[in-house]
Amino acid sequence: MASSKNWTVNSWRNLPIKQQPEYKNQDALRAAEQQLKSFPPLVSIDEIERLKAELAAVSRGEAFLLQGGDCAESFQEFSHDNLKSFFRTVMQMTIALMYGLNKPVVKVGRIAGQYAKPRSDGNETIGDTTLPSYRGDIVNAIEFEENARKANPQRLIESYFYSAASLNYLRSLALGGYGNLEKVNKWNEEFAHSLSSKKHTEEVISEVNKILNFMRACGLDSKTLPQLTTASFFTSHEALLLNYEEAFTRFNRDSGKFYDLSAHMLWIGDRTRHPDEAHVEFMRGIANPIAFKVGPSIKKEELLQLLEVLNPKNEAGRITLISRMGAGKVNDLLPPLVEAVKASGRCVVWSCDPMHGNTIKSSTGYKTRKFDEILSEIKSFFAVHKSLGTYAGGVHFEMTGQDVTECLGGNQQISEMNLQDRYHTHCDPRLNSSQSVELAFTIAKDLAANAK
Ligand code: PEP
Ligand code: CO
């Protein structure tokens, strides 16, 4: 088993590993890895520990986790506009959730490093041509062309610089006043105008305005209270390419621990969470908060074994379990797992990814997801936790701040015929800005009603 031997930053290299690219030029790969090892990290240990403490609060039911972003970030979609609208959307969702839950919202982006993708098929065939599948911009290019699909080690370096630039801008938005609560509530007012059924949303917005006005009367406004203008924001991505992650894993003498400084939080995907394989081996040795996906194929015993291997000391805030069962399965598959974790006394955050179990193909040939199914899985997830007396701690979305047409339904009533209009994703279909904010208001309303 992965945990029975001593851990080193490269002990994962001795174990079976899934979902890795095939690099033809191993010398170029080694050179890229060496270069990455010398680069400055993207995040700091203090920030990572702060996130862990905030997630520990989530595990106690004192806060709520909102994790979201692209399925796959791409170099092509890297822009001022995309980052800004993403951040704005997350802030709009945050206000809705904070108001509904009366709890702080821990914001974690699938961003500034979410470039590597696991694929169900290693190859893609179009007509008579078979090429390696696109595995994310950190590996190869999406164009269906022989050269583009070759795994290119130089892309590891490029991804680092894209991540660094994204993070730099996100930090300036978070700390520089762009997330100012008064401003965010104005954006929500604009959003509410577009709704066909706006009563509830307008009520929430008006209540938030009353609170802000009252605070202003007390002398508490954006000039006197930094909490109103700054936001804490963390990054995460799937730790899929372990050579990239290894390069950013640095030893901290003070604590005697290793931290993966490529992101604050890292997760293991549903396809690579085998306890005897490389991904679990690597992740058990880093001190970051980590997550793993809990899909329909996981067994109770395997889940408990993973918790033992990945968090033997049962540290609070260390583990987030991201359930992604699908709307039709969650009611059957989730309760026994939640009960088993509860009975084991293991401390976790339970979060719901309502995206990956609800992917369908439209009659027009697009990979898509229905807004109603997404909402239905979240509602079931909350209901399961309520009935078992456990805390539904968060949500995990594939989303963008752009007005894309990738998921069906929502207030905009995106139809199968609309999908072709603005279908820009490099991998899975994302909620657009309006669908994301609408979901947040709907969840918040349900949770508030449930809490009564
Ligand atoms: C993802 O989060 O993009 C993903 C591939 O999810 P999963 O591992 O749950 O399939
Ligand atoms: Co995805």
Side-chain angles (χ1 to χ4, degrees):
M1 196 164 88
S3 61
S4 57
K5 301 222 174 62
N6 282 344
W7 184 90
T8 60
V9 276
N10 58 11
S11 50
W12 62 271
R13 291 187 189 256
N14 304 320
L15 292 170
I17 187 162
K18 293 202 180 90
Q19 295 288 346
Q20 301 303 291
E22 250 183 68
Y23 291 101
K24 296 274 184 278
N25 185 342
Q26 287 291 313
D27 288 344
L29 178 63
R30 299 280 166 265
E33 288 173 3
Q34 283 312 318
Q35 216 178 338
L36 291 174
K37 278 186 186 161
S38 70
F39 285 173
L42 291 165
V43 302
S44 76
I45 292 172
D46 285 347
E47 291 167 342
I48 290 175
E49 285 298 334
R50 196 171 340 120
L51 173 59
K52 207 193 279 173
E54 292 189 18
L55 289 170
V58 177
S59 73
R60 294 190 298 270
E62 295 162 9
F64 190 78
L65 169 65
L66 170 61
Q67 190 174 12
D70 288 326
C71 177
E73 287 180 271
S74 68
F75 300 165
Q76 194 185 330
E77 284 213 332
F78 169 78
S79 73
H80 183 171
D81 236 33
N82 266 344
L83 287 165
K84 198 166 181 170
S85 62
F86 168 74
F87 187 79
R88 184 168 60 219
T89 304
V90 168
M91 291 309 296
Q92 288 180 256
M93 297 166 83
T94 298
I95 285 212
L97 291 168
M98 273 196 318
Y99 179 81
L101 277 74
N102 255 318
K103 284 176 187 162
V105 171
V106 183
K107 299 171 283 300
V108 181
R110 289 175 60 115
I111 204 160
Q114 176 52 20
Y115 288 109
K117 295 311 299 173
R119 302 314 308 252
S120 37
D121 212 324
N123 290 314
E124 184 180 353
T125 302
I126 299 183
D128 297 337
T129 315
T130 297
L131 292 174
S133 291
Y134 170 63
R135 288 187 174 274
D137 278 6
I138 193 168
V139 173
N140 54 7
I142 199 165
E143 288 73 29
F144 192 75
E145 191 261 305
E146 196 178 337
N147 250 327
R149 289 292 174 93
K150 280 186 186 147
N152 177 358
Q154 202 48 39
R155 287 178 165 267
L156 291 158
I157 309 288
E158 269 183 279
S159 295
Y160 166 82
F161 285 109
Y162 278 102
S163 302
S166 300
L167 186 51
N168 180 56
Y169 186 54
L170 288 166
R171 280 207 172 103
S172 78
L173 291 174
L175 300 176
Y178 191 66
N180 178 340
L181 277 192
E182 292 161 2
K183 215 155 60 178
V184 177
N185 213 37
K186 288 243 155 48
W187 297 327
N188 275 344
E189 275 173 19
E190 284 162 30
F191 161 76
H193 288 320
S194 71
L195 292 175
S196 49
S197 158
K198 48 181 103 187
K199 189 165 164 283
H200 166 73
T201 309
E202 285 187 341
E203 272 167 19
V204 172
I205 294 164
S206 137
E207 286 303 311
V208 173
N209 271 333
K210 277 187 205 155
I211 297 166
L212 291 171
N213 286 337
F214 177 75
M215 287 171 66
R216 213 172 285 123
C218 302
L220 301 171
D221 60 21
S222 45
K223 290 191 191 67
T224 55
L225 202 61
Q227 284 91 332
L228 286 181
T229 49
T230 60
S232 70
F233 184 83
F234 299 97
T235 61
S236 70
H237 61 258
E238 178 174 348
L240 186 68
L241 294 193
L242 296 182
N243 52 349
Y244 182 87
E245 304 306 334
E246 179 189 324
F248 288 102
T249 298
R250 315 278 162 89
F251 184 65
N252 176 248
R253 267 179 222 284
D254 295 342
S255 61
K257 293 178 184 164
F258 286 87
Y259 288 84
D260 181 346
L261 302 178
S262 72
H264 300 109
M265 182 186 198
L266 295 142
W267 78 84
I268 315 177
D270 204 42
R271 297 169 177 84
T272 50
R273 53 164 166 69
H274 197 285
D276 298 331
E277 294 182 356
H279 288 86
V280 170
E281 169 63 11
F282 173 76
M283 297 287 267
R284 80 182 171 94
I286 56 168
N288 304 54
I290 60 171
F292 61 90
K293 293 289 192 88
V294 173
S297 67
I298 203 164
K299 299 278 172 298
K300 233 175 1 196
E301 299 68 33
E302 197 183 354
L303 174 52
L304 294 177
Q305 189 187 351
L306 282 168
L307 293 177
E308 170 61 29
V309 173
L310 294 169
N311 193 18
K313 297 195 178 131
N314 204 15
E315 184 188 7
R318 159 78 171 160
I319 303 271
T320 298
L321 298 177
I322 308 172
S323 160
R324 34 89 86 223
M325 298 297 183
K329 294 185 181 159
V330 60
N331 280 317
D332 288 336
L333 299 183
L334 187 61
L337 300 174
V338 175
E339 277 182 311
V341 174
K342 186 182 176 188
S344 73
R346 296 267 169 201
C347 177
V348 300
V349 168
W350 275 106
S351 176
C352 173
D353 164 358
M355 315 299 295
H356 287 90
N358 295 310
T359 314
I360 52 168
K361 200 160 204 164
S362 75
S363 60
T364 43
Y366 288 93
K367 229 205 248 188
T368 187
R369 290 156 173 162
K370 291 184 179 157
F371 182 91
D372 288 346
E373 298 261 283
I374 292 169
L375 183 57
S376 155
E377 179 160 354
I378 302 172
K379 286 190 176 186
S380 299
F381 174 85
F382 284 122
V384 165
H385 282 282
K386 191 167 187 202
S387 74
L388 297 175
T390 45
Y391 181 57
V395 282
H396 182 118
F397 295 134
E398 287 189 338
M399 52 166 283
T400 168
Q402 300 288 82
D403 186 24
V404 298
T405 52
E406 297 170 7
C407 288
L408 299 168
N411 174 67
Q412 296 167 319
Q413 298 185 324
I414 293 174
S415 71
E416 294 210 343
M417 294 316 291
N418 299 135
L419 292 177
Q420 64 189 10
D421 296 347
R422 291 177 302 284
Y423 193 95
H424 297 317
T425 182
H426 272 54
C427 197
D428 291 338
R430 304 160 294 179
L431 295 163
N432 66 22
S433 180
S434 165
Q435 290 169 324
S436 304
V437 179
E438 186 182 348
L439 254 188
F441 273 100
T442 312
I443 301 169
K445 183 181 173 193
D446 274 31
L447 286 177
N450 246 320
K452 281 189 189 127

